[in-house]
Amino acid sequence: MSTAQHAELFAPPARSDSRKNLIGLDRAELALELKAIGQPAFRARQLWHWIYFRGLTDFAAMTTLSKDFRAELAKHYVVERPGVVVDQQSIDGTRKWLMRFADGQEAETVHIPEEDRGALCVSSQVGCTLTCRFCHTGTQRLVRNLSSAEILGQLLLARDTLGEWPSPPDGRLISNIVMMGMGEPLYNYDHVAKALRIVMDGEGIAISKRRITLSTAGVVPMIRRCGEELNVNLAISLHATNDELRDRIVPINKKYPIAELMDACRNYPGLSNARRITFEYVMLKGVNDSPADARALIKLIEGIPAKVNLIPFNAWPGAPFECASDKAIAAFSDIVFNAGYASPVRTPRGRDIMAACGQLKSESVRKSKAERDAAAPAA
Ligand code: SAH
């Protein structure tokens, strides 16, 4: 019996009307919507403030807007969050939500509180295509990409729950965002980018690019663009130092092998000692945890402003690996550290509620075309 709190909450029933959700629209799109209902574009800024700075969902409470405008908004639009199916809290304070979106698909989001800050781990897809051998999400097929509204919705819901409105200037429970939940963010780049731009907007949620980290298993052709357009911190799920092993445990390596990945890292825009790439390295017993592996890693990242985040393997039912021993992890970390790279060992958080790195999964499955057709209402 786990000590975790566990609550089952049900998502609000799907809306049957055709009102549009304003969440996830950028400023220009919001202005266009207002124009469409005969309102001047400048009102978009006032609305933005209510939605993203104050966190309101009820137009009636947006008191700086005229009564007529509020009524008009409510006729055509909603400000909607995902539903919550399960809300669990770990003994270490980590909290995990299983969120449900309008079409019934589900994904997980995790809050990792620390003493004076906290990170929200956000999902970018329902399921994943990558099939990394050590990752639980990798056992779930890709169901679909999340929209910008759904990516953002995870943060809005977490802030609702933690009572973090209006956007506090400092001392935030959610001070950092890590795109490290379910899915590969660079395979859903447009929606992720749109959501992150809204997160970074200074008149709303206002979390700076320095506090946002996007983690990728190595979608090489998208890395430069991510740096140029978003300029967020980059984390690379490396996990192996030669193609033979990486092909096996991170199969995207067959498409974009290590040398190409390292080139993309070297050329990531804006790199400096103050702004380093994080290389994530999951410690698997007898697979990639030897001193020779540590030395190969140093050689690989030579010349890249980098730090190495060692992640003790988090187990899940049926996982074909074991976590490296504490001793092996410490020895590995020392070798990397002595070569001049920060090499912290990531403290596992939320393991008791399956909220730690690589443990996320939802029951959502992709239906076959025949099943989807059968479920669709007859035309
Ligand atoms: N697809 C992206 C985003 C997921 S981030 C990426 O691969 O970077 C999740 C991080 O947890 C990745 O570094 C992933 O490799 C790591 N991870 C996956 N399974 C794990 C496990 N069982 N134990 C520890 N870390 C794991």
Side-chain angles (χ1 to χ4, degrees), residues 273 276 298 301 304 306-307 334-343:
N273 261 335
R276 288 176 281 177
I298 298 164
I301 63 177
I304 305 178
K307 58 184 165 211
D334 282 349
I335 294 172
V336 176
F337 183 78
N338 290 333
Y341 300 94
S343 57

Side-chain angles (χ1 to χ4, degrees), residues 162-199:
L162 300 173
E164 197 142 83
W165 299 112
S167 292
D170 44 41
R172 293 186 184 199
L173 297 168
I174 301 174
S175 55
N176 293 59
I177 301 289
V178 293
M179 293 304 303
M180 295 188 184
M182 296 167 60
E184 168 50 54
L186 294 188
Y187 275 155
N188 185 18
Y189 178 77
D190 289 340
H191 293 137
V192 168
K194 199 168 174 196
L196 289 182
R197 284 198 190 96
I198 295 173
V199 169

Side-chain angles (χ1 to χ4, degrees), residues 195-250:
L196 289 182
R197 284 198 190 96
I198 295 173
V199 169
M200 292 188 266
D201 187 293
E203 292 184 358
I205 297 163
I207 295 180
S208 100
K209 62 185 184 183
R210 300 191 184 285
R211 293 179 175 275
I212 299 176
T213 301
L214 183 147
S215 180
T216 177
V219 184
V220 167
M222 296 306 296
I223 289 179
R224 186 173 189 89
R225 192 168 157 207
C226 172
E228 280 170 351
E229 294 182 358
L230 301 175
N231 203 226
V232 293
N233 300 310
L234 183 68
I236 300 286
S237 293
L238 189 61
H239 309 313
T241 56
N242 61 75
D243 285 325
E244 191 268 320
L245 177 61
R246 198 164 189 270
D247 279 354
R248 239 180 342 112
I249 64 176
V250 185

Side-chain angles (χ1 to χ4, degrees), residues 298-319:
I298 298 164
K299 225 163 147 204
L300 210 54
I301 63 177
E302 201 179 337
I304 305 178
K307 58 184 165 211
V308 174
N309 212 325
L310 299 176
I311 316 178
F313 170 67
N314 295 306
W316 38 271

Side-chain angles (χ1 to χ4, degrees), residues 245-266:
L245 177 61
R246 198 164 189 270
D247 279 354
R248 239 180 342 112
I249 64 176
V250 185
I252 194 182
N253 194 68
K254 291 186 221 154
K255 206 162 175 189
Y256 307 115
I258 292 178
E260 287 179 30
L261 178 57
M262 289 301 142
D263 260 359
C265 290
R266 261 173 239 288

